[in-house]
């Protein structure tokens, strides 16, 4: 009985240093051994946000310098450029040339016990986190930053029902801080807006947030776990309180779309989908079903078009809309601040509320004219040609001067700059084609979309009531025993039920659970974030060889 009870990892106390939760990944190297960069840490500790506390940038800078010092110490005190792949390869492999030092190689070496490879990986992660923290601080200073979806700008006087983001208090005070974070769905007027999630963007974000984890049978599930963690932050609290928020996952359809009929080279430059992500799409759909979230797509249409159609329908029904995506094409939907019902976009990567003013600041034109700018500038990611030699800045300048792409092309001969004039005159067809490619279809017939049975309006698209049985069943099938254990605690189950994993769980999962206890002892009970915690539990389930892509059906990427 003592064994399972020791895995009380969900209720550990927060560190007194008040470091952000995202720093937990570095906790295991900040032990009691001498730190070559202790002087740097001490200096950084003197910095604060003005309230006697270190800022996230300060702490991440300190952590990065500490890891750098450990790297040099591991190299016998000899310094080298950690940011140079060639110098890192020389340290790891000696005089051997042509050796890769990418993440997969370093992961394999670190898994085999190579301390230097492990430290290099940690340093690179620390640098990425520091870069993001600096960007977030810059956004906050510019007034466009939303702190993890929890703080919203005040509603404008002209928008009495402006949307807001906030925190929804957890009923379980013992739950982790991350599990209590969610997007507040209620508008200022008490209504329930529609949240449209760009599933592809959400899945890829989940995929790259997790290590390459596999189930006991070898099926990769890292993206599935990341997806579940993200959904828990998004909707779990609301579901546990009995609410049914309006949220829909919108998927791309498989195969060609109507844009390929117009332009066969559309998205022809896209690389293949990561082979270990291919089998996870169906599992992620199963996860959404277990959570009670509707999934919608339309054959021959992209998710952008389905989102545009649903958002348009929602406004016609008097419902405000949030679009969770990082796709700039969907910025065309953002409405002016004085229009109600409204459409706003949330960038899941930078946690930025993309409002009308943000679009204007970024592209120099309002959302209604963004398609004209994108048509002129082209889009390398989608292989949209645009007009060669015309970039976003020149494009926005031209559109602002002439009012629209149509007028610009009609009066292209009047442009004073010879280079611009000739480029437009010789690429008129490409500009017209590009404008058609970036245009969002806002009127997909309802019968072409995979709407749930008997649904005829967007207002009916709500989460199903929470089914804990469905979630437990899915967690068990995936091997997500830690998620199941935390859900049991949230549901107020008895101690024995909450602290024990499934009695039929594999021996590898029980061994992995013991590793969590060992890991916590080694790190002086430093809190583990969700990803690292679950990664430790699934450590024994990892496989060295991913499934082959030919084992699975293709996906639309």
């Amino acid at each position: 009985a003592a064994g399972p009870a020791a895995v009380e990892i969900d209720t550990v106390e927060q560190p007194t240093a008040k470091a952000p939760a995202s720093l937990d990944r570095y906790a295991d190297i900040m032990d009691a051994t001498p730190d070559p960069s202790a002087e740097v840490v001490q200096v950084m500790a003197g910095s604060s946000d003005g309230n006697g506390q270190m800022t996230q940038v300060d702490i991440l800078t300190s952590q990065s310098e500490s890891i750098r010092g450990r790297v040099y110490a591991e190299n016998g005190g000899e310094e080298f450029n950690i940011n140079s792949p060639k110098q890192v390869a020389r340290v790891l492999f000696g005089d051997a040339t042509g050796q890769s030092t990418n993440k997969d190689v370093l992961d394999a070496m670190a898994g085999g016990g190579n301390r230097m490879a492990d430290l290099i990986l940690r340093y690179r992660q620390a640098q990425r986190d520091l870069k993001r923290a600096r960007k977030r601080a810059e956004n906050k200073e510019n007034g466009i930053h939303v702190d993890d979806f929890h703080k919203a700008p005040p509603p404008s006087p002209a928008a009495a029902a402006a949307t807001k983001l906030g925190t929804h208090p957890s009923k379980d005070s013992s739950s982790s801080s991350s599990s209590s974070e969610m997007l507040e769905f209620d508008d200022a007027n008490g209504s329930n807006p529609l949240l449209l999630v760009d599933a592809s963007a959400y899945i890829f974000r989940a995929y790259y947030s997790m290590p390459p984890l596999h189930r006991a049978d070898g099926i990769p599930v890292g993206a599935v776990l990341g997806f579940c963690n993200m959904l828990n932050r998004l909707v779990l609290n609301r579901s546990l309180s009995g609410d049914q928020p309006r949220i829909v996952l919108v998927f791309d359809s498989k195969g060609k779309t109507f844009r390929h009929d117009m332009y066969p080279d559309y998205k022809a430059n896209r690389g293949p989908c990561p082979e270990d992500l291919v089998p996870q799409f169906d599992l992620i759909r199963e996860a959404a079903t277990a959570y009670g979230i509707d999934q919608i797509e339309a054959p021959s249409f992209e998710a952008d078009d389905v989102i545009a159609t649903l958002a348009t329908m929602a406004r016609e029904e008097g419902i405000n809309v949030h679009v969770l995506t990082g796709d700039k094409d969907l910025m065309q939907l953002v409405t002016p601040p004085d229009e109600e019902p409204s459409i706003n976009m949330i960038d899941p990567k930078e946690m930025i509320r993309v409002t009308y003013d943000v679009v204007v600041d970024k592209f120099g034109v309002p959302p209604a004219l963004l398609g004209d700018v994108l048509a002129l500038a082209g889009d390398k990611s989608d292989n949209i040609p645009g007009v060669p030699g015309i970039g976003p800045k020149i494009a926005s300048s031209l559109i602002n001067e002439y009012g629209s792409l149509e007028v610009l092309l009609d009066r292209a001969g009047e442009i004073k700059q010879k280079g611009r004039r000739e480029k437009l005159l010789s690429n008129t067809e490409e500009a017209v084609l590009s404008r058609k490619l970036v245009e969002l279809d806002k009127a997909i017939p309802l019968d072409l979309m995979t709407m749930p049975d008997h649904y005829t309006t967007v207002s009916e698209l709500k989460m199903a009531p929470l089914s804990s049985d469905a979630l437990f069943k899915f967690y068990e099938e995936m091997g997500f025993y830690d998620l199941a254990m935390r859900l049991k605690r949230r549901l107020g189950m008895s101690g024995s039920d909450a602290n024990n994993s499934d009695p039929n769980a594999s021996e590898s999962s029980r061994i992995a659970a013991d590793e969590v206890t060992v890991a916590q002892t080694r790190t002086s009970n430093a809190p583990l974030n969700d990803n690292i915690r679950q990664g430790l539990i699934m450590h024994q389930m990892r496989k060295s060889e991913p499934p082959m892509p030919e084992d699975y059906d293709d996906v639309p990427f």
Side-chain angles (χ1 to χ4, degrees):
V7 194
E8 288 286 344
I9 57 179
D10 195 47
T11 57
V12 291
E13 295 182 358
Q14 296 298 315
T16 57
K18 298 184 179 179
S22 60
L23 302 179
D24 294 344
R25 67 186 65 158
Y26 310 117
D28 62 334
I29 69 168
M30 303 300 291
D31 51 28
T33 56
D35 185 350
S37 60
E39 182 177 352
V40 175
V41 176
Q42 185 175 7
V43 171
M44 291 306 304
S47 302
S48 75
D49 61 1
N51 296 317
Q53 296 182 0
M54 294 175 66
T55 66
Q56 187 179 39
V57 172
D58 294 336
I59 297 175
L60 284 168
T61 301
S62 171
Q63 297 282 19
S64 180
E65 291 302 318
S66 176
I67 299 171
R68 181 198 296 269
R70 296 296 180 88
V71 170
Y72 294 155
E74 187 71 17
N75 197 40
E78 182 179 350
E79 297 185 4
F80 63 97
N81 185 358
I82 309 177
N83 296 313
S84 168
K86 290 185 178 180
Q87 293 192 32
V88 170
R90 189 176 298 116
V91 170
L92 291 172
F93 306 111
D95 295 331
T97 59
Q99 292 284 352
S100 172
T101 60
N102 64 26
K103 186 178 184 299
D104 290 338
V105 172
L106 295 184
D107 272 335
M109 295 179 67
N114 189 306
R115 177 68 171 172
M116 178 62 79
D118 180 64
L119 289 171
I120 295 295
L121 282 171
R122 295 175 185 277
Y123 177 78
R124 290 178 178 177
Q125 183 62 57
Q127 289 293 296
R128 287 192 293 269
D129 287 347
L130 179 58
K131 181 179 179 180
R132 284 194 293 268
R134 285 172 173 164
K135 180 64 176 178
R136 288 165 64 86
E138 178 184 346
N139 290 335
K140 189 171 184 178
E141 289 180 1
N142 294 333
I144 59 174
H145 182 271
V146 177
D147 186 9
D148 291 336
F149 288 149
H150 310 315
K151 294 180 181 178
S156 63
T163 57
K164 69 174 183 175
L165 300 175
T167 55
H168 188 85
S170 171
K171 294 184 178 182
D172 180 4
S173 60
S174 66
S175 63
S176 66
S177 60
S178 64
S179 65
S180 66
E181 298 170 358
M182 63 165 289
L183 187 145
E184 181 66 63
F185 291 93
D186 288 338
D187 284 343
N189 61 1
S191 66
N192 187 3
L194 174 66
L195 177 66
L196 297 172
V197 180
D198 183 351
S200 297
Y202 211 57
I203 290 170
F204 271 85
R205 180 166 173 77
Y207 173 76
Y208 287 109
S209 73
M210 296 297 297
L213 304 175
H214 293 74
R215 281 191 329 203
D217 59 1
I219 298 296
V221 292
V224 184
L225 174 60
F227 182 82
C228 289
N229 283 333
M230 294 167 75
L231 281 185
N232 284 344
R233 294 187 181 99
L234 198 64
V235 299
L236 186 58
N237 279 356
R238 191 71 178 262
S239 295
L240 288 172
S241 68
D243 292 337
Q244 295 176 253
R246 292 190 177 108
I247 176 173
V248 177
L249 289 177
V250 182
F251 285 85
D252 289 302
S253 63
K254 291 185 178 182
K256 304 291 185 180
T257 70
F258 71 93
R259 290 184 177 84
H260 291 92
D261 295 334
M262 289 192 290
Y263 185 53
D265 288 334
Y266 179 65
K267 292 189 176 181
N269 58 338
R270 291 277 183 100
C273 177
E275 59 187 40
D276 61 334
L277 178 57
V278 173
Q280 299 189 63
F281 280 95
D282 287 341
L283 298 178
I284 286 172
R285 287 179 180 270
E286 293 180 19
T289 300
Y291 278 87
I293 299 176
D294 291 321
Q295 307 154 54
I296 298 179
E297 61 185 85
S300 299
F301 292 91
E302 297 182 64
D304 291 3
D305 303 303
V306 179
I307 289 174
T309 298
L310 293 175
T312 301
M313 293 173 61
R315 292 193 71 202
E316 292 173 352
E317 296 176 26
I319 300 173
N320 289 333
V321 180
H322 300 312
V323 181
L324 186 60
T325 181
D327 191 338
K328 63 180 178 296
D329 294 336
L330 287 168
M331 292 182 185
Q332 299 178 70
L333 299 175
V334 175
T335 55
D338 57 345
E339 284 192 13
E340 288 296 328
S342 65
I343 300 177
N344 283 303
M345 186 174 130
I346 305 296
D347 184 335
K349 181 179 179 181
E350 299 294 342
M351 303 303 176
I352 295 174
R353 178 191 288 272
V354 182
T355 62
Y356 182 92
D357 291 337
V358 172
V359 177
V360 173
D361 289 342
K362 183 176 180 63
F363 290 98
V365 296
L369 294 176
L370 179 57
D372 291 348
V373 171
L374 297 178
L376 285 174
D379 188 343
K380 291 183 179 180
S381 64
D382 289 340
N383 204 34
I384 295 176
V387 176
I390 300 293
K393 290 185 178 180
I394 295 178
S396 64
S397 175
L398 290 170
I399 295 303
N400 280 319
E401 181 177 355
Y402 289 90
S404 70
L405 178 64
E406 182 179 1
V407 175
L408 171 65
L409 295 178
D410 287 342
R411 299 173 56 186
E414 303 175 11
I415 298 176
K416 296 180 180 180
Q417 296 90 341
K418 180 180 178 181
R420 297 181 186 180
R421 182 176 66 250
E422 291 181 349
K423 289 172 184 175
L424 284 169
L425 290 174
S426 60
N427 292 279
T428 300
E429 292 183 1
E430 286 78 2
V432 172
L433 171 63
S434 298
R435 187 62 183 89
K436 293 178 180 178
L437 292 173
V438 301
E439 181 71 17
L440 299 174
D441 192 328
K442 303 177 183 178
I444 303 175
L446 201 63
D447 58 358
L448 292 184
M449 295 189 290
T450 57
M451 293 282 286
D453 293 340
H454 311 301
Y455 282 22
T456 58
T457 64
V458 172
S459 60
E460 298 174 279
L461 294 172
K462 296 182 179 181
M463 280 188 66
L466 177 68
S467 171
S468 58
D469 290 341
L471 278 180
F472 283 133
K473 183 176 183 295
F474 180 77
Y475 289 162
E476 179 182 351
E477 290 173 351
M478 296 299 106
F480 298 160
Y481 303 112
D482 185 57
L483 287 184
M485 181 172 59
R486 285 186 281 141
L487 180 58
K488 288 179 180 179
R489 288 199 184 99
R490 300 294 304 282
L491 292 172
M493 291 186 175
S494 64
S496 59
D497 288 339
N499 292 326
N500 286 282
S501 299
D502 178 17
N504 297 319
S506 63
E507 180 64 20
S508 62
S509 67
R510 287 192 289 271
I511 294 174
D514 291 339
E515 290 183 356
V516 177
T517 304
V518 174
Q520 279 201 280
T521 302
R522 185 179 69 250
T523 60
S524 301
N525 291 324
L528 302 174
N529 66 26
D530 290 347
N531 293 350
I532 293 179
R533 181 190 294 114
Q534 189 67 30
L536 287 168
I537 288 181
M538 299 187 67
H539 176 70
Q540 294 294 327
M541 303 180 188
R542 299 181 64 169
K543 299 289 183 180
S544 59
E545 295 295 332
M548 299 301 292
E550 56 265 25
D551 294 336
Y552 307 95
D553 294 334
D554 196 11
V555 293
F557 299 99

